[in-house]
mmCIF file of all heavy atoms in Angstrom:
data_model
loop_
_atom_site.group_PDB
_atom_site.id
_atom_site.type_symbol
_atom_site.label_atom_id
_atom_site.label_comp_id
_atom_site.label_asym_id
_atom_site.label_seq_id
_atom_site.Cartn_x
_atom_site.Cartn_y
_atom_site.Cartn_z
ATOM 1 N N CYS A 61 184.602 117.538 65.980
ATOM 2 C CA CYS A 61 184.908 117.041 67.320
ATOM 3 C C CYS A 61 183.948 117.572 68.386
ATOM 4 O O CYS A 61 184.060 117.205 69.555
ATOM 5 C CB CYS A 61 186.352 117.382 67.711
ATOM 6 S SG CYS A 61 186.620 119.139 68.021
ATOM 7 N N CYS A 62 183.008 118.421 67.971
ATOM 8 C CA CYS A 62 182.085 119.017 68.961
ATOM 9 C C CYS A 62 180.983 118.029 69.347
ATOM 10 O O CYS A 62 179.792 118.370 69.408
ATOM 11 C CB CYS A 62 181.496 120.311 68.416
ATOM 12 S SG CYS A 62 182.732 121.606 68.206
ATOM 13 N N VAL A 63 181.407 116.827 69.583
ATOM 14 C CA VAL A 63 180.499 115.769 69.992
ATOM 15 C C VAL A 63 181.040 115.091 71.262
ATOM 16 O O VAL A 63 180.334 114.364 71.938
ATOM 17 C CB VAL A 63 180.364 114.752 68.830
ATOM 18 C CG1 VAL A 63 181.682 114.028 68.591
ATOM 19 C CG2 VAL A 63 179.232 113.782 69.029
ATOM 20 N N LEU A 64 182.292 115.400 71.560
ATOM 21 C CA LEU A 64 182.960 114.765 72.711
ATOM 22 C C LEU A 64 182.554 115.438 74.016
ATOM 23 O O LEU A 64 182.140 116.610 74.033
ATOM 24 C CB LEU A 64 184.480 114.869 72.551
ATOM 25 C CG LEU A 64 185.057 114.246 71.264
ATOM 26 C CD1 LEU A 64 186.562 114.485 71.197
ATOM 27 C CD2 LEU A 64 184.748 112.752 71.204
ATOM 28 N N VAL A 66 182.891 117.534 77.192
ATOM 29 C CA VAL A 66 183.736 118.679 77.540
ATOM 30 C C VAL A 66 183.621 118.931 79.044
ATOM 31 O O VAL A 66 182.520 119.174 79.552
ATOM 32 C CB VAL A 66 183.314 119.954 76.767
ATOM 33 C CG1 VAL A 66 184.108 121.163 77.250
ATOM 34 C CG2 VAL A 66 183.521 119.760 75.269
ATOM 35 N N CYS A 118 177.265 118.808 70.593
ATOM 36 C CA CYS A 118 177.243 119.806 71.662
ATOM 37 C C CYS A 118 176.040 120.729 71.473
ATOM 38 O O CYS A 118 175.791 121.213 70.368
ATOM 39 C CB CYS A 118 178.545 120.616 71.624
ATOM 40 S SG CYS A 118 178.556 121.987 72.813
ATOM 41 N N PRO A 119 175.295 121.027 72.523
ATOM 42 C CA PRO A 119 174.133 121.905 72.391
ATOM 43 C C PRO A 119 174.489 123.347 72.016
ATOM 44 O O PRO A 119 173.600 124.130 71.688
ATOM 45 C CB PRO A 119 173.475 121.864 73.774
ATOM 46 C CG PRO A 119 174.282 120.967 74.622
ATOM 47 C CD PRO A 119 175.473 120.493 73.871
ATOM 48 N N PHE A 120 175.764 123.680 72.052
ATOM 49 C CA PHE A 120 176.151 125.049 71.711
ATOM 50 C C PHE A 120 176.570 125.189 70.249
ATOM 51 O O PHE A 120 176.972 126.273 69.823
ATOM 52 C CB PHE A 120 177.269 125.533 72.643
ATOM 53 C CG PHE A 120 176.824 125.622 74.070
ATOM 54 C CD1 PHE A 120 177.358 124.780 75.028
ATOM 55 C CD2 PHE A 120 175.827 126.510 74.436
ATOM 56 C CE1 PHE A 120 176.914 124.832 76.346
ATOM 57 C CE2 PHE A 120 175.376 126.576 75.753
ATOM 58 C CZ PHE A 120 175.918 125.730 76.708
ATOM 59 N N LEU A 121 176.475 124.103 69.488
ATOM 60 C CA LEU A 121 176.728 124.219 68.048
ATOM 61 C C LEU A 121 175.569 124.968 67.419
ATOM 62 O O LEU A 121 174.400 124.658 67.713
ATOM 63 C CB LEU A 121 176.799 122.820 67.424
ATOM 64 C CG LEU A 121 178.151 122.137 67.314
ATOM 65 C CD1 LEU A 121 177.979 120.806 66.615
ATOM 66 C CD2 LEU A 121 179.163 123.003 66.568
ATOM 67 N N SER A 126 179.119 126.044 63.681
ATOM 68 C CA SER A 126 180.053 126.875 64.435
ATOM 69 C C SER A 126 179.642 126.930 65.900
ATOM 70 O O SER A 126 178.502 126.608 66.244
ATOM 71 C CB SER A 126 180.093 128.297 63.863
ATOM 72 O OG SER A 126 180.657 128.279 62.566
ATOM 73 N N CYS A 127 180.564 127.373 66.727
ATOM 74 C CA CYS A 127 180.308 127.438 68.158
ATOM 75 C C CYS A 127 179.568 128.734 68.493
ATOM 76 O O CYS A 127 180.088 129.815 68.250
ATOM 77 C CB CYS A 127 181.645 127.383 68.903
ATOM 78 S SG CYS A 127 181.443 127.524 70.693
ATOM 79 N N SER A 128 178.389 128.602 69.071
ATOM 80 C CA SER A 128 177.585 129.799 69.376
ATOM 81 C C SER A 128 178.103 130.539 70.608
ATOM 82 O O SER A 128 177.645 131.639 70.903
ATOM 83 C CB SER A 128 176.128 129.400 69.589
ATOM 84 O OG SER A 128 176.022 128.554 70.717
ATOM 85 N N ILE A 129 179.029 129.936 71.333
ATOM 86 C CA ILE A 129 179.603 130.618 72.508
ATOM 87 C C ILE A 129 181.119 130.799 72.321
ATOM 88 O O ILE A 129 181.881 130.759 73.276
ATOM 89 C CB ILE A 129 179.310 129.829 73.815
ATOM 90 C CG1 ILE A 129 179.811 128.385 73.714
ATOM 91 C CG2 ILE A 129 177.833 129.885 74.149
ATOM 92 C CD1 ILE A 129 179.840 127.665 75.071
ATOM 93 N N HIS A 130 181.484 131.004 71.062
ATOM 94 C CA HIS A 130 182.917 131.010 70.716
ATOM 95 C C HIS A 130 183.749 131.896 71.653
ATOM 96 O O HIS A 130 184.814 131.493 72.104
ATOM 97 C CB HIS A 130 183.074 131.493 69.273
ATOM 98 C CG HIS A 130 184.468 131.421 68.769
ATOM 99 N ND1 HIS A 130 185.084 130.237 68.407
ATOM 100 C CD2 HIS A 130 185.411 132.392 68.610
ATOM 101 C CE1 HIS A 130 186.315 130.476 68.021
ATOM 102 N NE2 HIS A 130 186.544 131.766 68.124
ATOM 103 N N ARG A 133 184.062 130.146 74.982
ATOM 104 C CA ARG A 133 184.144 128.684 74.930
ATOM 105 C C ARG A 133 185.150 128.169 75.956
ATOM 106 O O ARG A 133 186.098 128.886 76.318
ATOM 107 C CB ARG A 133 184.460 128.186 73.515
ATOM 108 C CG ARG A 133 185.861 128.489 73.039
ATOM 109 C CD ARG A 133 185.945 128.313 71.533
ATOM 110 N NE ARG A 133 187.298 128.476 71.011
ATOM 111 C CZ ARG A 133 187.922 129.635 70.882
ATOM 112 N NH1 ARG A 133 187.363 130.751 71.266
ATOM 113 N NH2 ARG A 133 189.149 129.662 70.372
ATOM 114 N N PRO A 134 184.954 126.946 76.399
ATOM 115 C CA PRO A 134 185.804 126.394 77.471
ATOM 116 C C PRO A 134 187.277 126.255 77.087
ATOM 117 O O PRO A 134 187.633 126.158 75.900
ATOM 118 C CB PRO A 134 185.197 125.011 77.724
ATOM 119 C CG PRO A 134 183.800 125.100 77.218
ATOM 120 C CD PRO A 134 183.844 126.039 76.047
ATOM 121 N N CYS A 137 187.932 123.267 74.915
ATOM 122 C CA CYS A 137 187.650 123.433 73.484
ATOM 123 C C CYS A 137 188.792 124.202 72.811
ATOM 124 O O CYS A 137 189.170 123.900 71.686
ATOM 125 C CB CYS A 137 186.332 124.168 73.283
ATOM 126 S SG CYS A 137 184.933 123.300 74.016
ATOM 127 N N LEU A 196 180.138 120.287 80.582
ATOM 128 C CA LEU A 196 179.838 121.659 80.147
ATOM 129 C C LEU A 196 178.360 122.030 80.256
ATOM 130 O O LEU A 196 177.990 123.003 80.918
ATOM 131 C CB LEU A 196 180.339 121.831 78.693
ATOM 132 C CG LEU A 196 179.896 123.092 77.966
ATOM 133 C CD1 LEU A 196 180.432 124.337 78.647
ATOM 134 C CD2 LEU A 196 180.350 123.034 76.505
HETATM 135 S S1 SF4 B 301 181.420 124.666 73.354
HETATM 136 FE FE1 SF4 B 301 181.695 125.246 71.217
HETATM 137 S S2 SF4 B 301 183.750 124.529 70.662
HETATM 138 FE FE2 SF4 B 301 183.161 123.483 72.562
HETATM 139 S S3 SF4 B 301 182.268 121.511 71.923
HETATM 140 FE FE3 SF4 B 301 180.584 123.017 72.124
HETATM 141 S S4 SF4 B 301 180.292 123.897 70.062
HETATM 142 FE FE4 SF4 B 301 182.306 122.880 70.107
#
Side-chain angles (χ1 to χ4, degrees):
C61 71
C62 294
V63 67
L64 302 177
V66 174
C118 175
F120 296 114
L121 268 182
S126 293
C127 177
S128 64
I129 55 166
H130 185 75
R133 70 196 185 285
C137 300
L196 169 63

